[in-house]
Amino acid sequence: MKQDRILILDLGSTENTVIARAIRELGVYSEIYPHDITLEELKAIPNVRGLIINGGPNHIVDGQEIFVRGEIYAASLPILCVAHAGAGGRQLAAWPAEKAALEALLRDFIFAECGAEPNWNMQNFIADEIEAVREQVGDRRVLLALSGGVDSSVVAALLLKAIGRQLTCVHVNHGLLRKGEAEQVVDVFQKQLGADLVYVDASERFLQKLAGVADPEQKRKIIGAEFIRVFEEEARKLEGIDFLAQGTIYPDIVESGTKTAKMVKSHHNVGGLPEDLKFSLVEPLKQLFKDEVRECGKQLGLPDEMVYRQPFPGPGLGVRCLGAITRDRLEAVRESDAILREEFRNAGLDQKVWQYFTVIPDFRSVGVKDNARCFEYPVILRAVNTVDAMTATIEQIDWPVLLRITDRILKEVAGVNRVCYDLSPKPTATIEWE
């Protein structure tokens, strides 16, 4: 990457991503590195103009206080130490609470002290990534896990620009997709965009692997590992595939854990890969936040309906059918989700709300149907707004809309007798239930 950089060294702060985003909004690229980065590693990173040593409440790891290596202070770079008594550089007790004050502070440090150029923009990012992909791949071939979601779609568009027919897209139907989704992916990418697309129906294979597995982390790892197995099989059929492209983005990496922050959840693109992976990875979006991924997609010319498509986790409905997956609950999730999406679209909420979906827990409640006692599942509705998926607020849905959704789900979805609305923000809740 040719753009100037400001590095954030993580010394236990909970504000790392907030600061990184604020710096990027000022037109300068920023990324987070571990506190124990060596001077040699630092010097290998191009175009670093300054360091922020970001202290915070997680500065005690395994019972011991952590510090930045002393050699870092000899790097001849401007340094801003926040909530940390550093051995050099400018000291700051805490980040300003007001956004305007924070921006002013960062602007002064980045431009006045570091002399950084505001040359971080999406056009430069795309140009750099195309160059990097061409250098990494050469004349070899790449296999892309194309789910049809925003991340993999943007990766596909970027790779098509970078390497064209060297890219083969594989869409795996793992049986955990939303209603009509597999058919839509094939139509859009194969018929409309003309991509070299291989469609694999592996739904029975995935469901058999997941039978009786209740632990969310284990489910994620099984799904991630099985995806790679399918790709390996397809690669052997195609011959000459050396690379696997993935839609890993920055929140995936952050939430999978750092040296000072515990893992929120493993992501199939980050922590769930088998040790005997035979591909080299191509991950052109791994330093982008979600809103930046969407901006990248627009710059690449993808249609709005694809760029602003509902976010969908890699494990699909597998993490919305809570606990051990059963076919009846999986079908209930699929049908109730389709109703929710249709009614949100009818109410004009599909472009207003960032993510909305249904969840079916693995317990039943008593109810009454056809004048008789029934013992069936509840459906939980979730609708959240966010910029970067690191925090989220709850959308306040009008009662008539909620009542219409509830009425349709109770009448049209088999095996359910309650509808609930989740009012929990992130934090303390995550966006997904598992």
Side-chain angles (χ1 to χ4, degrees), residues 123-160:
Q123 286 184 334
N124 288 344
F125 170 81
I126 291 171
D128 285 350
E129 284 301 318
I130 287 175
E131 182 180 332
V133 167
R134 287 173 177 168
E135 183 177 345
Q136 179 186 6
V137 172
D139 60 357
R140 291 172 289 178
R141 299 178 65 191
V142 179
L143 191 65
L144 170 63
L146 179 57
S147 69
V150 177
D151 301 335
S152 64
S153 297
V154 174
V155 170
L158 196 152
L159 292 181
L160 284 169

Side-chain angles (χ1 to χ4, degrees), residues 175-298:
L176 306 170
L177 297 174
R178 289 171 288 199
K179 188 174 182 178
E181 195 157 42
E183 295 82 357
Q184 184 184 35
V185 168
V186 171
D187 180 69
V188 170
F189 287 94
Q190 191 175 67
K191 298 179 181 178
Q192 296 182 32
L193 298 182
D196 179 14
L197 176 67
V198 177
Y199 172 73
V200 183
D201 186 353
S203 53
E204 284 299 319
R205 174 173 170 173
F206 275 82
L207 292 177
Q208 288 175 13
K209 288 275 186 180
L210 291 164
V213 178
D215 179 72
E217 280 302 301
Q218 192 177 355
K219 286 199 293 186
R220 287 178 178 272
K221 289 182 184 298
I222 288 172
I223 293 167
E226 202 60 24
F227 255 106
I228 299 302
R229 299 300 181 206
V230 174
F231 294 144
E232 286 179 331
E233 292 169 12
E234 294 304 317
R236 284 194 292 270
K237 296 175 186 176
L238 295 166
E239 298 183 356
I241 299 291
D242 295 306
F243 295 93
L244 174 66
Q246 293 189 150
T248 308
I249 65 173
Y250 209 33
D252 296 342
I253 296 171
V254 173
E255 287 194 337
S256 292
T258 66
K259 293 181 179 180
T260 63
K262 292 182 179 179
M263 180 180 68
V264 177
K265 58 187 176 184
S266 72
H267 288 261
H268 74 287
N269 287 343
V270 180
L273 302 179
E275 293 181 0
D276 60 344
L277 175 66
K278 293 182 173 61
F279 302 117
S280 297
L281 293 180
V282 177
E283 300 174 299
L285 307 182
K286 65 182 179 182
Q287 296 302 331
L288 295 187
F289 291 99
K290 194 73 176 189
D291 59 314
E292 294 172 329
V293 174
R294 295 186 192 281
E295 184 185 348
C296 182
K298 292 194 73 171

Side-chain angles (χ1 to χ4, degrees), residues 238-426:
L238 295 166
E239 298 183 356
I241 299 291
D242 295 306
F243 295 93
L244 174 66
Q246 293 189 150
T248 308
I249 65 173
Y250 209 33
D252 296 342
I253 296 171
V254 173
E255 287 194 337
S256 292
T258 66
K259 293 181 179 180
T260 63
K262 292 182 179 179
M263 180 180 68
V264 177
K265 58 187 176 184
S266 72
H267 288 261
H268 74 287
N269 287 343
V270 180
L273 302 179
E275 293 181 0
D276 60 344
L277 175 66
K278 293 182 173 61
F279 302 117
S280 297
L281 293 180
V282 177
E283 300 174 299
L285 307 182
K286 65 182 179 182
Q287 296 302 331
L288 295 187
F289 291 99
K290 194 73 176 189
D291 59 314
E292 294 172 329
V293 174
R294 295 186 192 281
E295 184 185 348
C296 182
K298 292 194 73 171
Q299 290 279 343
L300 289 166
L302 290 177
D304 282 355
E305 58 266 25
M306 189 176 295
V307 171
Y308 294 104
R309 189 175 185 176
Q310 269 279 290
F312 195 53
L317 300 181
V319 293
R320 296 176 182 173
C321 183
L322 306 185
I325 297 171
T326 59
R327 293 175 186 267
D328 60 339
R329 285 191 300 116
L330 182 59
E331 192 59 24
V333 173
R334 204 184 324 268
E335 292 298 327
S336 60
D337 175 80
I339 291 171
L340 177 66
R341 288 189 288 132
E342 181 181 341
E343 291 298 333
F344 264 43
R345 185 169 59 252
N346 292 342
L349 292 169
D350 56 328
Q351 295 299 315
K352 181 183 178 185
V353 183
W354 187 82
Q355 189 170 14
Y356 44 94
F357 54 89
T358 63
V359 173
I360 307 288
D362 57 348
F363 60 83
R364 295 180 174 92
S365 68
V366 68
V368 177
K369 276 188 176 179
D370 300 324
N371 297 317
R373 184 177 184 273
C374 65
F375 201 52
E376 297 180 327
Y377 298 108
V379 175
I380 300 165
L381 311 180
R382 185 116 169 100
V384 299
N385 282 316
T386 182
V387 172
D388 56 15
M390 302 306 296
T391 62
T393 58
I394 303 305
E395 179 67 21
Q396 298 183 34
I397 308 299
D398 291 339
W399 277 110
V401 177
L402 281 177
L403 292 175
R404 186 162 57 251
I405 293 168
T406 300
D407 183 63
R408 284 196 60 190
I409 288 175
L410 294 179
K411 288 180 178 177
E412 299 175 30
V413 181
V416 302
N417 62 5
R418 290 179 189 270
V419 176
C420 308
Y421 191 57
D422 183 356
L423 295 172
S424 312
K426 177 182 181 179

